[in-house]
Amino acid sequence: MKTKPLFIVMSAPSGCGKSTLIDMLLQEYGDIVYSISCTTRAPRGEEEDGLDYHFLSRARFEELIGADAFIEYAKVHGNYYGTLKAPIEEVLAEGHSMILDIDVQGAAKVRDYVQKLPNNDPLKIGYVDVFILPPSMEELRRRLEGRGTDAPAVIEKRLANAEGEIARADEYMFKVTNDDLTMAYKRLCDLIDALSGRM
Ligand code: 5GP
């Protein structure tokens, strides 16, 4: 079945199940490609170049900035992070969809970029952004504490960040509350199917 290629931008505070939902989508939809970011930070642990990130030297990253190769980039903790335009354009031109997992600030830059594109640009035609919400701040706290991976101070910082991000959820075209993973996933699938004309 021929479907409309989507350019999906997804954001969520940490602990909202965004990575799990994206993994589920990638498993089920063979035609959705995950956007791999570029970074100048060093690989950690088992991370692989071209899989987790494209690990670039600072000089190469700055060269790409100069060439206007990024749809958005940012400096986080002294390292550059960015999303290249070319892979998104190529994936959409092939008729597939691209999904970006990006924070609220990055998403705002992508939205600005897309808004300025001509109306017949595939990135603009296929653009959709989704914010994943926790059922409540109390539940988000329970989930972060339940993971047992973060120190209390880190959890407080994540919760404070989450509040700031949730305050900007209205900037997104769609909001999906992850109260129940199966239900949230179904809502996401219904959204993607409707927008891509799969149904
Ligand atoms: P980490 O080094 O832990 O993998 O990521 C650090 C931060 O960089 C995270 O907050 C992550 O969201 C952000 N990040 C990862 N990729 C990108 C990207 O392509 N663009 C922007 N703006 N931020 C990114």
Side-chain angles (χ1 to χ4, degrees):
M1 191 198 333
K2 195 161 163 36
T3 55
K4 178 172 135 184
L6 299 178
F7 175 28
I8 309 162
V9 172
M10 206 180 284
S11 305
S14 91
C16 289
K18 179 183 55 171
S19 310
T20 307
L21 288 165
I22 291 179
D23 284 346
M24 290 164 81
L25 286 175
L26 294 174
Q27 289 265 332
E28 183 155 347
Y29 294 78
D31 62 341
I32 299 183
V33 180
Y34 182 73
S35 164
I36 299 162
S37 296
C38 297
T39 183
T40 56
R41 81 153 164 78
R44 286 196 293 246
E46 306 273 280
E47 285 181 339
E48 276 185 53
D49 185 38
L51 200 67
D52 300 285
Y53 280 107
H54 298 294
F55 293 100
L56 306 180
S57 67
R58 179 165 295 256
R60 177 68 186 137
F61 202 104
E62 287 175 348
E63 197 176 281
L64 288 167
I65 295 174
D68 198 23
F70 292 105
I71 191 164
E72 66 79 36
Y73 70 92
K75 217 170 194 178
V76 185
H77 308 307
N79 281 305
Y80 284 120
Y81 292 82
T83 309
L84 289 170
K85 289 178 198 170
I88 306 170
E89 291 165 355
E90 284 160 18
V91 164
L92 268 73
E94 285 164 6
H96 304 305
S97 294
M98 192 87 169
I99 190 161
L100 254 69
D101 171 358
I102 200 165
D103 70 355
V104 172
Q105 286 178 40
K109 289 188 200 167
V110 174
R111 201 176 295 123
D112 276 356
Y113 174 86
V114 169
Q115 251 157 26
K116 292 185 185 119
L117 290 172
N119 285 338
N120 63 351
D121 191 291
L123 269 69
K124 191 162 188 168
I125 295 170
Y127 184 79
V128 52
D129 51 31
V130 187
F131 192 90
I132 309 293
L133 284 161
S136 65
M137 288 309 287
E138 293 73 36
E139 179 57 24
L140 184 60
R141 175 184 288 280
R142 266 196 295 278
R143 286 182 194 176
L144 289 172
E145 287 174 350
R147 291 207 299 208
T149 48
D150 297 319
V154 175
I155 291 180
E156 292 312 319
K157 187 155 179 278
R158 287 195 197 279
L159 285 169
N161 285 344
E163 281 201 39
E165 287 174 352
I166 291 167
R168 296 183 62 178
D170 282 341
E171 294 173 20
Y172 289 71
M173 295 159 82
F174 297 98
K175 286 174 270 186
V176 171
T177 301
N178 187 3
D179 40 5
D180 170 88
L181 187 64
T182 311
M183 289 302 294
Y185 180 61
K186 178 160 184 339
R187 280 181 223 124
L188 262 183
C189 292
D190 287 349
L191 184 62
I192 289 171
D193 291 344
L195 293 170
S196 64
R198 218 178 237 99
M199 47 202 316

